[in-house]
């Protein structure tokens, strides 16, 4: 794992907490690297909005409830549009990719192993595959760039961390509705389904944002 992936995963899992200052020298020693790759990794994370400048150095970004509402408002506009465009422009190859992504998502959700960090990572990954396949099917080359700027991975990860089995299955059912709308070339139905899907994720994050008990459990889980 390179410096970028190491630091990003530590932020996602909460090992590097919001507000924590990121010292290049400390990280370089921990990873047994020079400060140059650490500096480059931090620049990339800053461009992604996960790291912000401090008076001295940089730190892990904090997200307020207003931040989360604004992020999800943008996501629903962009991804709902992507879903509607996918319903118009999708090819048979796109449908195969979307169907396969949904199959993997269902397998990850139906897995009988405990909902630990490894399983959550898998669920997040296959969910991302489905959403990226929709963007690809939209045939709009600019959408991926803009969506990537507002899909904040730590927030998405925590959303899935807080999902229970019913909510995971509910998410899968919405995936299936979105897929059927795209398959049947129903852009408005695809747009509405995606809109509600993303807002369900937003509501789940906002519901737990101030729950210190859940935050404590997350920290304990990743130790």
């Amino acid at each position: 794992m390179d410096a970028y992936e190491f630091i990003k995963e530590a932020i996602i899992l909460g090992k590097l907490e919001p507000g924590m200052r990121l010292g290049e020298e400390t990280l370089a020693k921990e990873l047994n690297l020079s400060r140059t790759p650490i500096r480059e990794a931090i620049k990339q994370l800053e461009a992604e909005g996960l790291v912000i400048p401090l008076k001295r150095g940089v730190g892990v970004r904090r997200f307020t409830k207003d931040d989360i509402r604004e992020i999800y408002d943008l996501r629903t506009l962009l991804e709902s549009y992507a879903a509607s465009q996918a319903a118009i422009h999708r090819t048979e190859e796109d449908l195969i990719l979307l169907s396969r992504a949904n199959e993997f998502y269902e397998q990850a959700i139906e897995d009988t192993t405990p909902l630990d960090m490894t399983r959550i990572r898998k669920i997040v990954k296959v969910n991302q595959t489905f959403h990226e396949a929709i963007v690809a099917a939209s045939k709009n080359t600019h959408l991926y760039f803009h969506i990537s700027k507002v899909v904040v991975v730590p927030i998405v990860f925590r959303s899935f961390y807080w999902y229970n089995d019913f909510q995971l299955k509910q998410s899968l059912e919405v995936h299936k509705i979105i897929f059927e709308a795209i398959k049947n070339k129903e852009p408005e139905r695809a747009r509405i389904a995606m809109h509600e899907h993303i807002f369900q994720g937003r509501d789940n994050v906002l519901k737990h944002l101030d729950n210190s008990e859940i935050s404590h459990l997350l920290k304990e889980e990743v130790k």
Side-chain angles (χ1 to χ4, degrees):
M1 186 181 295
D2 62 18
Y4 165 75
E5 291 294 340
F6 178 88
I7 299 170
K8 184 173 183 176
E9 180 163 295
I11 293 172
I12 290 170
L13 297 180
K15 294 178 181 178
L16 295 174
E17 299 179 12
M20 181 181 290
R21 183 177 176 275
L22 299 181
E24 290 181 11
E25 186 174 350
T26 301
L27 289 168
K29 286 181 179 179
E30 184 174 354
L31 294 174
N32 195 26
L33 295 171
S34 71
R35 294 176 68 169
T36 299
I38 301 297
R39 192 175 298 118
E40 291 173 352
I42 288 174
K43 284 182 180 178
Q44 188 172 349
L45 292 164
E46 188 173 354
E48 293 177 8
L50 300 183
V51 170
I52 58 171
L54 302 176
K55 289 183 178 179
R56 293 184 59 189
V58 296
V60 180
R61 181 180 175 186
R62 294 181 185 274
F63 292 97
T64 66
K65 284 192 172 184
D66 285 341
D67 288 330
I68 291 177
R69 289 190 185 95
E70 290 170 4
I71 287 166
Y72 274 92
D73 283 349
L74 286 171
R75 273 196 66 189
T76 193
L77 286 171
L78 292 169
E79 293 202 48
S80 296
Y81 177 72
S84 69
Q85 292 302 293
I88 296 170
H89 300 294
R90 96 294 185 279
T91 64
E92 290 302 314
E93 290 77 11
D94 291 321
L95 292 178
I96 291 171
L97 292 174
L98 284 165
S99 178
R100 188 176 300 157
N102 256 356
E103 287 174 8
F104 290 145
Y105 190 56
E106 185 165 12
Q107 289 170 11
I109 287 173
E110 297 295 337
D111 193 341
T112 56
T113 59
L115 192 61
D116 59 7
M117 287 297 163
T118 300
R119 187 174 162 213
I120 294 171
R121 283 194 195 97
K122 184 177 180 181
I123 291 171
V124 170
K125 184 176 180 180
V126 293
N127 176 70
Q128 183 179 356
T129 300
F130 178 74
H131 282 259
E132 288 178 351
I134 290 174
V135 177
S138 75
K139 310 306 178 192
N140 186 320
T141 57
H142 301 282
L143 268 175
Y144 181 80
F145 171 80
H146 291 292
I147 289 173
S148 68
K149 295 298 182 183
V150 295
V151 177
V152 182
V153 179
I155 295 175
V156 175
F157 187 91
R158 281 161 175 75
S159 174
F160 279 101
Y161 181 87
W162 289 317
Y163 271 179
N164 57 37
D165 286 338
F166 173 78
Q167 289 170 315
L168 286 172
K169 290 176 181 178
Q170 186 179 46
S171 172
L172 172 63
E173 289 307 310
V174 179
H175 273 212
K176 290 179 178 179
I177 292 170
I178 294 168
F179 172 75
E180 287 300 319
I182 291 172
K183 178 182 177 181
N184 297 327
K185 296 192 173 183
E186 300 175 296
E188 186 62 11
R189 185 184 180 202
R191 184 192 68 78
I192 291 171
M194 181 63 81
H195 178 92
E196 181 59 25
H197 180 52
I198 293 172
F199 273 167
Q200 284 176 355
R202 177 204 64 183
D203 292 346
N204 197 48
V205 173
L206 290 173
K207 177 182 176 181
H208 293 95
L209 190 63
D210 294 328
N211 191 327
S212 59
E213 180 182 356
I214 294 293
S215 298
H216 173 72
L217 288 173
L218 180 59
K219 291 174 188 175
E220 289 299 315
E221 185 76 28
V222 300
K223 283 182 180 177

